[in-house]
Amino acid sequence: MKNSWVNQAIAIIEADYQRSADTHLIKLDIPSLAGIDIYLKDESTHPTGSLKHRLARSLFLYALCNGWINERTSVIESSSGSTAVSEAYFARLLGLPFIAVMPRSTAKKKVQQIEFYGGRCHFVDHSSEIYAESERLATELDGHYMDQFTYAERATDWRGNNNIANSIFEQMAKEPHPIPQWIVMSPGTGGTSATIGRYIRYQQLETQLCVVDPENSVFFDYFTQGDSKITSTKGSKIEGIGRPRAEPSFIPGVIDHMEKIDDTASIATMYWLEQLIGRKAGPSTGTNLYGVLMLASKMHAEGRKGSLVTLLCDSGERYLDTYYNNEWIDSNIGDLQAYQKSLENLSQTGQLL
Ligand SMILES: *Cc1c(COP(=O)(O)O)cnc(C)c1O
């Protein structure tokens, strides 16, 4: 039979998908924002713990259908961790060797999980080195460099097919404001915001897409100034998002608005969310939610009602020794007090300070 290994590999991934459930949409309870409803799509409940489970599945299917992977292919990926965890899962499902090229600073829990799924971790000192090192390894091993930063936007089915945007709008159907005023997302590859933005256009919806960028990332500068060659020498301190170059999967034309979010705001919001839902989320969820709260605070001031949706990208349990460790925060992120006061004010009055 033609390409029988490839056929089997696709069937294995499709069966895994068939066994999977969709992720929940969590509604926040914030009495000070009466009439403004905020929702989090909880991507931490995928088998590999983050929204990258969707991406890894799509990247493997794309590579298989393109004839880029066969039963002897070593799969190599450049990653800040989450994608590599999810790809290690799918590589093991297919019986393929997997190597993750990551910054040395990547959360230990992610490294352990990659190794748990049988993957190997290959470290570089700076996040800007992961691309060239992945290419070098792929050539040396005659393997395939998956390259999430290039292929995320095109490997994902943006018209529908149960993608994340499709799922959000279906889950919103019975809410008081079923069509969100805003969807807010932070970019790592930019693939998720590209998928959501394209879906909104394609469905001709009124929803606007706001993308929130952390410190030391160039996506915001690229969006506002249009220079795709812009680079940063410092890496993002918010794991999973913010890049030192404008990644090819980041599509500025589908974005309505962008905000730059201070790292101290992201972390203060991550803690604020824990108080609200009794669960720990990762730092990029703090970035997302702070962006939502900025927009909601403005809507509140203008007396408008409506809904806003963002993503809970991964769980905070991965970051107990870093973002949930006060000493680490003191020396790596800084003083959170100003934003904690601002968030407290929002809880009381519906307004950020
Ligand atoms: C990848 C990632 C993001 C950003 O998603 P993209 O689709 O790559 O832009 C946000 N948060 C976490 C934890 C991630 O791993």
Side-chain angles (χ1 to χ4, degrees):
M1 200 170 121
K2 178 176 170 258
N3 283 335
S4 65
W5 183 85
V6 170
N7 285 349
Q8 270 174 37
I10 293 169
I12 287 169
I13 294 175
E14 288 297 281
D16 182 72
Y17 181 58
Q18 189 68 31
R19 293 191 299 271
S20 301
D22 199 357
T23 59
H24 301 282
L25 195 61
I26 301 171
K27 186 178 185 187
L28 299 186
D29 182 14
I30 310 171
S32 63
L33 290 172
I36 299 172
D37 301 325
I38 297 175
Y39 302 82
L40 289 168
K41 177 95 170 131
D42 183 5
E43 293 292 292
S44 72
T45 63
H46 288 291
T48 56
S50 81
L51 76 168
K52 291 304 189 324
H53 198 78
R54 295 177 191 270
L55 175 62
R57 181 194 294 128
S58 297
L59 286 168
F60 267 94
L61 286 174
Y62 192 67
L64 285 163
C65 292
N66 285 336
W68 294 343
I69 292 179
N70 63 41
E71 62 267 53
R72 290 173 303 280
T73 307
S74 288
V75 176
I76 293 117
E77 182 63 296
S78 55
S79 173
S80 65
S82 297
T83 304
V85 171
S86 301
E87 287 177 346
Y89 169 94
F90 284 101
R92 185 166 86 163
L93 214 53
L94 305 185
L96 297 175
F98 177 75
I99 304 170
V101 180
M102 303 187 296
R104 212 171 294 282
S105 57
T106 303
K108 281 194 200 70
K109 273 262 159 58
K110 292 186 192 170
V111 172
Q112 286 165 0
Q113 246 194 306
I114 292 162
E115 289 170 349
F116 173 79
Y117 289 127
R120 252 178 57 204
C121 298
H122 180 93
F123 295 106
V124 296
D125 290 324
H126 191 271
S127 66
S128 62
E129 296 166 45
I130 57 178
Y131 317 102
E133 186 59 12
S134 300
E135 273 173 35
R136 192 193 66 73
L137 270 177
T139 307
E140 185 183 297
L141 301 171
D142 195 21
H144 175 63
Y145 171 26
M146 202 67 117
D147 195 358
Q148 58 166 333
F149 295 106
T150 299
Y151 295 105
E153 57 90 5
R154 65 194 88 162
T156 306
D157 294 329
W158 54 272
R159 292 181 193 85
N161 194 12
N162 218 6
N163 72 26
I164 190 162
N166 193 200
S167 166
I168 288 171
F169 283 95
E170 280 182 8
Q171 289 177 319
M172 285 294 291
K174 295 185 179 173
E175 297 307 303
H177 307 283
I179 305 295
Q181 198 91 57
W182 291 98
I183 295 181
V184 177
M185 179 57 190
S186 51
T189 64
T192 305
S193 41
T195 301
I196 293 170
R198 285 167 172 163
Y199 184 85
I200 290 169
R201 291 264 168 84
Y202 183 60
Q203 297 290 334
Q204 303 149 62
L205 298 162
E206 291 298 315
T207 306
Q208 297 186 79
L209 174 63
C210 173
V211 172
V212 283
D213 204 26
E215 292 175 37
N216 303 312
S217 174
V218 301
F219 290 124
F220 180 83
D221 310 78
Y222 171 38
F223 181 76
T224 50
Q225 294 156 32
D227 175 11
S228 66
K229 297 281 177 289
I230 189 165
T231 56
S232 154
T233 49
K234 279 167 102 181
S236 165
K237 289 185 183 162
I238 305 297
E239 224 171 290
I241 60 170
R243 302 298 311 162
R245 62 172 208 193
E247 301 297 349
S249 278
F250 176 79
I251 312 291
V254 303
I255 299 167
D256 296 293
H257 180 66
M258 273 193 83
E259 291 282 353
K260 195 89 187 164
I261 308 288
D262 288 346
D263 291 350
T264 45
S266 297
I267 305 307
T269 310
M270 183 187 86
Y271 293 150
W272 182 81
L273 178 66
E274 185 186 7
Q275 295 303 309
L276 198 62
I277 63 173
R279 281 177 49 196
K280 291 180 168 66
S284 68
T285 304
T287 314
N288 289 346
L289 185 56
Y290 192 78
V292 165
L293 295 176
M294 284 172 79
L295 295 164
S297 176
K298 189 150 177 280
M299 286 168 68
H300 180 74
E302 293 166 355
R304 288 190 285 133
K305 299 194 182 323
S307 62
L308 303 95
V309 180
T310 192
L311 272 60
L312 196 168
C313 297
D314 65 354
S315 159
E317 305 300 327
R318 284 178 165 178
Y319 309 103
L320 297 180
D321 51 348
T322 54
Y323 299 101
Y324 285 93
N325 174 332
N326 289 336
E327 281 157 39
W328 189 92
I329 290 291
D330 284 345
S331 43
N332 288 276
I333 304 289
D335 190 353
L336 309 179
Q337 270 184 42
Y339 282 107
Q340 282 171 330
K341 259 184 81 180
S342 181
L343 289 160
E344 183 54 32
N345 200 68
L346 179 116
S347 300
Q348 301 297 327
T349 69
Q351 265 345 114
L352 287 171
L353 288 180

